[in-house]
Amino acid sequence: MLLSSYRLGNLTLPNRLVMAPMTRARAVDGKPTEATATYYAQRATAGLIVTEGVHPNAVGQAGPFMPGVHTDDQVAAWRVVTDAVHANGGRIFAQLMHGGRIGHVEVAGHQPVGPSAIAADAQVFTPAGMKPAPVPRALPAAEVADQVQAFGDAARKAVDAGFDGVELHGANGYLIQQFLSSSANERTDGYGGSISGRIRFAVEAVEAAADAIGADRVGIRLSPGGEIQGIVEENVPVLYGELLKALPDIAYIHVLATVDDEALMELRKAWPTAFILNPGGQIGPVESTQEQGERWLANGADLISYGRAYIGNPDLVERFRLGLPLAASDQETWFQTPHGYVDYPAHQH
């Protein structure tokens, strides 16, 4: 089933493999490079590519060497990437990732913002190496609306740059999940407190993107109950059940396996459109396998996303098709280095 086609929104995918978003930290001055275009074009046989996290505005930049999609220069640079992917027959969504409290003044020149003035219990990347996450500036209600609109504006810019759609990053402890989280969000206004308050930012951000480019070009990534970067969520099944009910019928939800199989199946049943599952769950040592993907398709997922397997295997679809062994990737070169990016070869038959 992994190699069967699937209709996603207005796209026909030739297979059900999704290249998951992965930070590679190789942008220059906030823009992707020619090597970025090569990297994604090499992997264009994926049913769908979702890019690394791309910040939707300046204050949303989570780390150094990460690209944005909010200036004309950034749009022009991304068009080189999307043209290369489309020339190789691929389909590509931009992942819009607002770091929120995950960021640092040394990264973007701004104090990070968040739902509340609570620092993450985490280290963040800076140009000078890892540092403790700073206390963010709590967003006043008027500025919450500005951050919501940033997702709509960035979605429009992404389509201008040639992307087929966007995925909002609502997982892994970034801004959208910070609003969902009881450990990051102590607000008492309409964006906190009750479950309906906690989910409001996520819903409004998705609505802004859908209004900008059409719901069939929008997805959201979620990590229910995930505890990366100091996140704690309460009443996870109810929280995410209510979130899914409140979201518009966008193209897909992209769910990390951060809860047990039973809870994942409940989310699958509750969601009306495409369900992308990433079996790898939290960041860890185990890479997802072809067998896991097939098992989850049999259990009701529509598409399966693979992360690290795509670093070392640009031809992952072909390797799965032919039952070929997968190449390992070198963790030392995951970020920033000139090596370990576009120099992994396809399998030699």
Side-chain angles (χ1 to χ4, degrees), residues 221-243:
R221 195 173 210 220
L222 304 170
S223 53
E227 297 178 349
I228 289 177
Q229 303 191 125
I231 289 294
V232 175
E233 292 175 329
E234 296 174 358
N235 302 321
V236 170
V238 177
L239 178 69
Y240 280 86
E242 291 300 311
L243 174 60

Tab-separated table of all heavy atoms in Angstrom, residues 221-243:
chain	number	residue	atom	x	y	z
A	221	ARG	N	0.752	19.790	11.720
A	221	ARG	CA	1.475	18.706	12.374
A	221	ARG	C	1.240	18.791	13.878
A	221	ARG	O	1.317	19.878	14.471
A	221	ARG	CB	2.982	18.791	12.078
A	221	ARG	CG	3.717	17.488	12.429
A	221	ARG	CD	5.161	17.524	11.983
A	221	ARG	NE	5.637	16.187	11.652
A	221	ARG	CZ	6.839	15.730	11.963
A	221	ARG	NH1	7.716	16.489	12.606
A	221	ARG	NH2	7.207	14.520	11.625
A	222	LEU	N	0.979	17.643	14.505
A	222	LEU	CA	0.636	17.581	15.920
A	222	LEU	C	1.447	16.488	16.605
A	222	LEU	O	1.749	15.455	16.001
A	222	LEU	CB	-0.866	17.278	16.092
A	222	LEU	CG	-1.838	18.240	15.397
A	222	LEU	CD1	-3.254	17.680	15.434
A	222	LEU	CD2	-1.788	19.627	16.038
A	223	SER	N	1.779	16.722	17.890
A	223	SER	CA	2.445	15.690	18.700
A	223	SER	C	1.684	15.571	20.021
A	223	SER	O	2.114	16.102	21.037
A	223	SER	CB	3.921	16.033	18.937
A	223	SER	OG	4.078	17.337	19.479
A	224	PRO	N	0.543	14.885	20.020
A	224	PRO	CA	-0.322	14.843	21.208
A	224	PRO	C	0.423	14.293	22.425
A	224	PRO	O	1.005	13.208	22.379
A	224	PRO	CB	-1.454	13.897	20.791
A	224	PRO	CG	-1.387	13.823	19.302
A	224	PRO	CD	0.025	14.069	18.917
A	225	GLY	N	0.423	15.048	23.490
A	225	GLY	CA	1.084	14.600	24.704
A	225	GLY	C	2.592	14.613	24.640
A	225	GLY	O	3.263	14.201	25.589
A	226	GLY	N	3.165	15.090	23.536
A	226	GLY	CA	4.616	15.140	23.401
A	226	GLY	C	5.227	16.090	24.420
A	226	GLY	O	4.649	17.127	24.739
A	227	GLU	N	6.399	15.731	24.930
A	227	GLU	CA	7.003	16.494	26.027
A	227	GLU	C	8.315	17.154	25.640
A	227	GLU	O	9.113	17.532	26.496
A	227	GLU	CB	7.199	15.566	27.237
A	227	GLU	CG	5.880	15.038	27.777
A	227	GLU	CD	6.045	14.072	28.938
A	227	GLU	OE1	7.195	13.639	29.190
A	227	GLU	OE2	5.037	13.752	29.567
A	228	ILE	N	8.547	17.314	24.335
A	228	ILE	CA	9.778	17.962	23.879
A	228	ILE	C	9.758	19.440	24.267
A	228	ILE	O	8.713	20.096	24.199
A	228	ILE	CB	9.922	17.805	22.356
A	228	ILE	CG1	10.244	16.341	22.016
A	228	ILE	CG2	11.005	18.710	21.793
A	228	ILE	CD1	10.329	16.061	20.534
A	229	GLN	N	10.905	19.958	24.667
A	229	GLN	CA	11.112	21.378	24.924
A	229	GLN	C	10.187	21.912	26.020
A	229	GLN	O	9.618	22.988	25.915
A	229	GLN	CB	11.010	22.188	23.622
A	229	GLN	CG	12.007	21.674	22.579
A	229	GLN	CD	12.196	22.517	21.350
A	229	GLN	OE1	13.316	22.884	21.049
A	229	GLN	NE2	11.144	22.803	20.636
A	230	GLY	N	10.073	21.106	27.090
A	230	GLY	CA	9.384	21.577	28.283
A	230	GLY	C	7.876	21.615	28.212
A	230	GLY	O	7.224	22.287	29.018
A	231	ILE	N	7.281	20.876	27.282
A	231	ILE	CA	5.827	20.898	27.114
A	231	ILE	C	5.162	19.874	28.023
A	231	ILE	O	5.593	18.734	28.132
A	231	ILE	CB	5.459	20.607	25.642
A	231	ILE	CG1	5.839	21.793	24.759
A	231	ILE	CG2	3.983	20.262	25.493
A	231	ILE	CD1	5.062	23.066	25.003
A	232	VAL	N	4.095	20.311	28.697
A	232	VAL	CA	3.188	19.408	29.413
A	232	VAL	C	1.780	19.727	28.933
A	232	VAL	O	1.384	20.895	28.889
A	232	VAL	CB	3.279	19.600	30.939
A	232	VAL	CG1	2.240	18.740	31.640
A	232	VAL	CG2	4.679	19.272	31.447
A	233	GLU	N	1.040	18.697	28.556
A	233	GLU	CA	-0.358	18.878	28.159
A	233	GLU	C	-1.243	18.048	29.076
A	233	GLU	O	-0.885	16.930	29.448
A	233	GLU	CB	-0.568	18.446	26.703
A	233	GLU	CG	0.129	19.360	25.716
A	233	GLU	CD	0.033	18.877	24.278
A	233	GLU	OE1	-0.017	17.648	24.051
A	233	GLU	OE2	0.024	19.734	23.388
A	234	GLU	N	-2.386	18.592	29.437
A	234	GLU	CA	-3.325	17.896	30.313
A	234	GLU	C	-4.533	17.429	29.502
A	234	GLU	O	-4.894	18.046	28.497
A	234	GLU	CB	-3.775	18.838	31.434
A	234	GLU	CG	-2.620	19.255	32.357
A	234	GLU	CD	-3.031	20.292	33.382
A	234	GLU	OE1	-4.212	20.713	33.356
A	234	GLU	OE2	-2.180	20.694	34.191
A	235	ASN	N	-5.155	16.331	29.968
A	235	ASN	CA	-6.363	15.800	29.318
A	235	ASN	C	-6.149	15.641	27.812
A	235	ASN	O	-6.944	16.118	26.997
A	235	ASN	CB	-7.570	16.712	29.579
A	235	ASN	CG	-7.854	16.888	31.054
A	235	ASN	OD1	-7.734	15.937	31.822
A	235	ASN	ND2	-8.220	18.091	31.443
A	236	VAL	N	-5.052	14.959	27.462
A	236	VAL	CA	-4.630	14.902	26.059
A	236	VAL	C	-5.722	14.372	25.119
A	236	VAL	O	-5.993	14.985	24.078
A	236	VAL	CB	-3.322	14.089	25.928
A	236	VAL	CG1	-2.992	13.800	24.458
A	236	VAL	CG2	-2.169	14.858	26.573
A	237	PRO	N	-6.406	13.264	25.433
A	237	PRO	CA	-7.435	12.796	24.493
A	237	PRO	C	-8.551	13.825	24.279
A	237	PRO	O	-9.002	14.021	23.146
A	237	PRO	CB	-7.973	11.517	25.163
A	237	PRO	CG	-6.875	11.067	26.066
A	237	PRO	CD	-6.228	12.327	26.567
A	238	VAL	N	-8.958	14.484	25.360
A	238	VAL	CA	-10.026	15.487	25.235
A	238	VAL	C	-9.515	16.720	24.501
A	238	VAL	O	-10.186	17.272	23.614
A	238	VAL	CB	-10.577	15.865	26.625
A	238	VAL	CG1	-11.644	16.956	26.516
A	238	VAL	CG2	-11.152	14.633	27.320
A	239	LEU	N	-8.301	17.166	24.864
A	239	LEU	CA	-7.712	18.349	24.237
A	239	LEU	C	-7.640	18.183	22.727
A	239	LEU	O	-8.086	19.066	21.961
A	239	LEU	CB	-6.307	18.580	24.810
A	239	LEU	CG	-5.498	19.747	24.236
A	239	LEU	CD1	-6.111	21.077	24.638
A	239	LEU	CD2	-4.041	19.673	24.703
A	240	TYR	N	-7.108	17.054	22.279
A	240	TYR	CA	-6.940	16.860	20.839
A	240	TYR	C	-8.253	16.474	20.163
A	240	TYR	O	-8.460	16.807	18.983
A	240	TYR	CB	-5.815	15.858	20.567
A	240	TYR	CG	-4.477	16.544	20.696
A	240	TYR	CD1	-3.851	16.672	21.931
A	240	TYR	CD2	-3.860	17.128	19.602
A	240	TYR	CE1	-2.640	17.351	22.080
A	240	TYR	CE2	-2.649	17.803	19.728
A	240	TYR	CZ	-2.049	17.921	20.968
A	240	TYR	OH	-0.868	18.606	21.087
A	241	GLY	N	-9.127	15.815	20.878
A	241	GLY	CA	-10.456	15.553	20.319
A	241	GLY	C	-11.190	16.850	20.019
A	241	GLY	O	-11.800	17.013	18.957
A	242	GLU	N	-11.114	17.798	20.952
A	242	GLU	CA	-11.766	19.098	20.741
A	242	GLU	C	-11.070	19.892	19.642
A	242	GLU	O	-11.728	20.583	18.846
A	242	GLU	CB	-11.775	19.904	22.048
A	242	GLU	CG	-12.689	19.325	23.122
A	242	GLU	CD	-14.143	19.254	22.674
A	242	GLU	OE1	-14.658	20.270	22.159
A	242	GLU	OE2	-14.745	18.171	22.814
A	243	LEU	N	-9.742	19.811	19.588
A	243	LEU	CA	-9.014	20.517	18.538
A	243	LEU	C	-9.441	20.012	17.167
A	243	LEU	O	-9.722	20.819	16.257
A	243	LEU	CB	-7.503	20.324	18.731
A	243	LEU	CG	-6.603	20.897	17.623
A	243	LEU	CD1	-6.785	22.398	17.481
A	243	LEU	CD2	-5.140	20.557	17.899
